[in-house]
């Protein structure tokens, strides 16, 4: 049997951390080709192309400094070359860029290939609703797309600190291949067929993380933050119940993609950090993202806006007061200090 060729589309903070794992695993596992192309959105770093720096030093000095990538990882700045003959495509770019990348790849991928999305966020659907990123990938590439979401702060994963993750995949054979490719002694994979729930959890937790950051910025303490996390979880569950797979499993929310990712993001994530600074400095998210993240991207405020507009169109905003309040704070419509008044009469308390 011929070996499976893997390509990684994305080389940011998480993209580089997952490249470290995948690059090492393909060295050991005979079913995969011993070279993994990693698509790099080209930029200049200290006067030199980032893709050249990565290939010469085996380090993504901008997005994952101080970590050596395995030599099996090859940085490729040309998207189509990066995915040439790929059997497994791992998508790990900020959600804002998915449609553009999908358009470029349409018609260029083997019809036997499979995709795995690590992207947390939604896309805006035609007509104003929201669309799952995995659907966008499948629509453009005409191949099935599984998802991987979990409590996985990239820097900690790259440090090889123990954590778990969740792969959502409909096909048990594909599930096994993906697990073999991704799992390590310190990165433990649980698979489930409850795919939509896994993906929706990954997107929505970024909204809740903004709420946690606002709470920190207001110095509201640990109990309030815990309440925000809990109410966030309840809104996430309701969101899946109302808009997604009626056969979803409540137990999926107790996997790494659910409660664990909420906790880690609400304590250690970029959305939390910038949301705290939003309150403390009074500056807007665009400025804070540029100043604090060195090219990395926030997903929370944009996802909050997308979800809010969808809820409003469906006349459902009152059922999701936390999501609504977070969006209104992000765009300056209400003050951060109004957050608690917005959730005091939460449906969970009625
Ligand atoms: N960083 C983390 O700890 C984790 C991130 N994620 C998710 O993974 C996804 C990717 O995040 P990161 O790898 O952290 O990325 P990042 O936040 O480091 O984003 C920057 C990346 O976007 C690229 N980029 C900029 N403009 C672009 C364009 N026009 N087209 C394509 N790429 C462009 C940059 O070159 C860089 O590679 C996101 O959905 C995020 O929510 C998931 C788990 C952990
Ligand atoms: O998804 C993440 C951890 O699982 C990272 O969250 P942030 O994007 O808020 O850093």
């Amino acid at each position: 049997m011929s070996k499976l060729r893997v390509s990684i589309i994305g080389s940011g903070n998480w993209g580089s951390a997952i490249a470290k794992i995948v690059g090492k695993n393909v060295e050991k596992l005979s079913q995969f080709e011993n070279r993994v192309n990693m698509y790099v959105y080209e930029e200049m770093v200290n006067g030199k192309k980032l893709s050249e720096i990565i290939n010469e030093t085996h380090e993504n000095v901008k997005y994952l400094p101080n970590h050596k990538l395995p030599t099996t990882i090859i940085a490729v700045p040309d998207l189509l070359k990066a995915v040439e003959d790929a059997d497994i495509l791992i998508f790990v770019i900020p959600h804002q860029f998915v449609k553009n990348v999908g358009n470029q790849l349409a018609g260029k991928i083997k019809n036997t290939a499979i995709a795995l999305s690590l992207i947390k966020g939604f896309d805006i659907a035609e007509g104003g609703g929201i669309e799952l990123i995995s659907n966008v990938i499948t629509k453009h590439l005409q191949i099935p797309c599984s998802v991987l979401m979990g409590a996985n702060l990239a820097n900690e994963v790259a440090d090889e600190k123990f954590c778990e993750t969740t792969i959502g995949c409909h096909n048990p054979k594909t599930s096994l291949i993906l697990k073999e490719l991704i799992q390590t002694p310190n990165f433990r994979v649980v698979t489930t067929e409850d795919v939509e729930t896994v993906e929706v959890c990954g997107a929505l937790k970024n909204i809740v993380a903004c709420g946690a950051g606002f709470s920190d910025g207001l110095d509201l303490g640990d109990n309030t933050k815990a309440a925000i996390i809990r109410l966030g979880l309840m809104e996430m569950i309701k969101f899946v119940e109302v808009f997604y797979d009626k056969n979803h499993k409540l137990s999926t929310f107790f996997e790494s993609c659910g409660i664990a990712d909420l906790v880690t993001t609400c304590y250690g994530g970029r959305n939390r950090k910038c949301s705290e600074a939003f309150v403390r400095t009074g500056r807007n998210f665009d400025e804070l993202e540029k100043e604090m993240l060195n090219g990395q991207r926030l997903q929370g405020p944009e996802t909050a806006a997308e979800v809010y507009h969808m809820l409003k169109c469906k006349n459902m905003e009152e059922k999701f007061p936390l999501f609504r309040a977070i969006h209104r704070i992000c765009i300056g419509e209400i003050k951060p200090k109004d957050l608690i008044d917005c959730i005091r009469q939460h449906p969970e308390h009625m």
Side-chain angles (χ1 to χ4, degrees):
M1 210 176 80
S2 62
K3 290 178 184 259
L4 297 170
R5 177 175 288 194
V6 182
S7 290
I8 299 174
I9 296 132
S11 53
N13 188 226
W14 186 215
S16 303
I18 210 72
K20 196 175 164 189
I21 287 181
V22 168
K24 271 193 199 163
N25 277 352
V26 299
E27 277 172 3
K28 291 188 294 217
L29 299 168
S30 59
Q31 65 271 44
F32 301 108
E33 255 183 36
N34 212 334
R35 167 194 166 120
V36 173
N37 285 345
M38 176 175 77
Y39 166 62
V40 173
Y41 181 78
E42 193 67 283
E43 63 185 290
M44 301 302 284
V45 176
N46 299 327
K48 208 166 166 179
K49 288 180 176 164
L50 180 58
S51 62
E52 289 178 5
I53 298 176
I54 295 174
N55 286 334
E56 282 164 23
T57 65
H58 304 289
E59 184 181 340
N60 187 338
V61 291
K62 176 153 183 193
Y63 294 104
L64 190 67
N66 306 316
H67 286 279
K68 284 285 173 204
L69 298 175
T71 52
T72 46
I73 298 292
I74 310 296
V76 181
D78 180 322
L79 179 62
L80 294 185
K81 283 204 179 111
V83 301
E84 215 164 48
D85 287 327
D87 300 294
I88 301 177
L89 295 125
I90 300 177
F91 283 86
V92 56
I93 48 177
H95 76 271
Q96 294 88 330
F97 309 125
V98 168
K99 228 180 224 152
N100 181 28
V101 165
N103 278 330
Q104 293 180 64
L105 294 182
K108 306 284 192 323
I109 302 296
K110 280 192 202 172
N111 60 11
T112 51
I114 54 172
L116 177 68
S117 171
L118 276 56
I119 299 168
K120 292 175 177 171
F122 295 113
D123 191 37
I124 301 174
E126 280 159 33
I130 56 177
E131 185 157 20
L132 296 177
I133 298 290
S134 60
N135 283 350
V136 177
I137 292 171
T138 292
K139 253 206 255 170
H140 282 88
L141 275 58
Q142 299 294 308
I143 57 172
C145 183
S146 305
V147 298
L148 178 151
M149 310 278 145
N152 303 143
L153 293 169
N155 294 331
E156 295 182 18
V157 174
D159 282 339
E160 298 178 27
K161 291 177 175 158
F162 179 84
C163 68
E164 300 178 300
T165 201
T166 315
I167 289 182
C169 175
H170 291 294
N171 179 323
K173 227 170 113 191
T174 304
S175 218
L176 193 65
I177 295 171
L178 294 173
K179 184 169 179 164
E180 281 168 349
L181 179 64
I182 299 281
Q183 183 158 265
T184 75
N186 282 323
F187 193 67
R188 307 307 294 166
V189 176
V190 174
T191 61
T192 169
E193 291 182 22
D194 193 9
V195 184
E196 281 189 348
T197 307
V198 175
E199 185 167 2
V200 174
C201 277
L204 293 180
K205 65 89 192 171
N206 284 331
I207 305 178
V208 185
C210 293
F214 296 149
S215 178
D216 288 344
L218 293 163
D219 291 316
L220 295 178
D222 291 333
N223 293 343
T224 303
K225 186 157 151 179
I228 287 168
I229 294 172
R230 189 192 86 83
L231 291 172
L233 178 64
M234 298 317 280
E235 291 194 14
M236 285 166 57
I237 294 171
K238 179 166 280 169
F239 197 88
V240 172
E241 273 169 10
V242 175
F243 300 115
Y244 288 94
D245 191 347
K246 297 288 171 258
N247 297 318
H248 75 275
K249 291 193 281 180
L250 190 60
S251 59
T252 306
F253 292 92
F254 305 109
E255 297 292 350
S256 185
C257 63
I259 184 69
D261 198 7
L262 257 182
V263 171
T264 205
T265 312
C266 289
Y267 282 84
R270 302 167 294 191
N271 286 290
R272 189 221 67 82
K273 183 166 99 170
C274 291
S275 299
E276 179 180 3
F278 176 89
V279 176
R280 294 201 192 280
T281 65
R283 306 185 52 203
N284 68 42
F285 276 106
D286 283 346
E287 288 171 0
L288 293 167
E289 183 183 60
K290 281 196 186 77
E291 215 163 89
M292 297 174 71
L293 297 186
N294 189 31
Q296 294 183 37
R297 304 298 292 252
L298 283 180
Q299 321 287 311
E302 215 166 296
T303 304
E306 291 157 7
V307 164
Y308 175 78
H309 290 300
M310 181 248 203
L311 292 173
K312 203 165 154 66
C313 289
K314 296 188 184 284
N315 227 353
M316 295 285 278
E317 14 158 8
E318 277 172 20
K319 293 204 172 350
F320 299 88
L322 180 68
F323 291 169
R324 175 174 63 180
I326 290 168
H327 166 64
R328 295 181 71 203
I329 293 170
C330 286
I331 61 166
E333 204 173 277
I334 59 172
K335 297 263 176 267
K337 68 173 174 48
D338 299 331
L339 173 65
I340 301 306
D341 280 338
C342 295
I343 56 174
R344 217 181 285 286
Q345 305 295 332
H346 197 283
E348 285 299 315
H349 307 143
M350 300 301 161

